[in-house]
Amino acid sequence: MSVSADWSEVRALAADLSKAGPATARKAQQAVAKSAHDIQAQAKPPVKTGALKASIGVDITDGGFAAEIGPTVHYGAYVEFGTRRM
């Protein structure tokens, strides 16, 4: 199962921000990192243990201007989106 999205506008914003100057770029990178970690915290299911919860991570990309948040276990998408039998 795969999910796709159009990130062209986000990449364009990242390119514009990278040209805005070092101070602005640092603040944008901090905002991306904080937002990604906030999303990660909210995405973790309310259980004390579990492989799914432990596998949800954050990858900061594009020089700090983008982030990918998600599980690494193979069944993560089924828990999120369900199956035809759910």
Side-chain angles (χ1 to χ4, degrees):
M1 173 183 239
S2 68
V3 177
S4 63
D6 178 12
W7 294 97
S8 60
E9 291 184 27
V10 174
R11 287 191 183 96
L13 174 62
D16 290 344
L17 288 173
S18 67
K19 296 174 190 171
T24 303
R26 275 192 303 278
K27 288 183 180 184
Q29 291 166 331
Q30 291 170 350
V32 168
K34 182 184 181 321
S35 298
H37 286 95
D38 289 348
I39 292 168
Q40 176 193 28
Q42 290 179 355
K44 291 191 174 190
V47 295
K48 293 183 180 182
T49 61
L52 177 61
K53 181 177 182 177
S55 78
I56 297 174
V58 172
D59 290 326
I60 306 293
T61 59
D62 291 335
F65 293 106
E68 184 176 328
I69 306 104
T72 56
V73 293
H74 70 280
Y75 57 87
Y78 300 117
V79 174
E80 178 70 20
F81 302 109
T83 66
R84 64 185 176 95
R85 295 187 180 134
M86 297 172 112

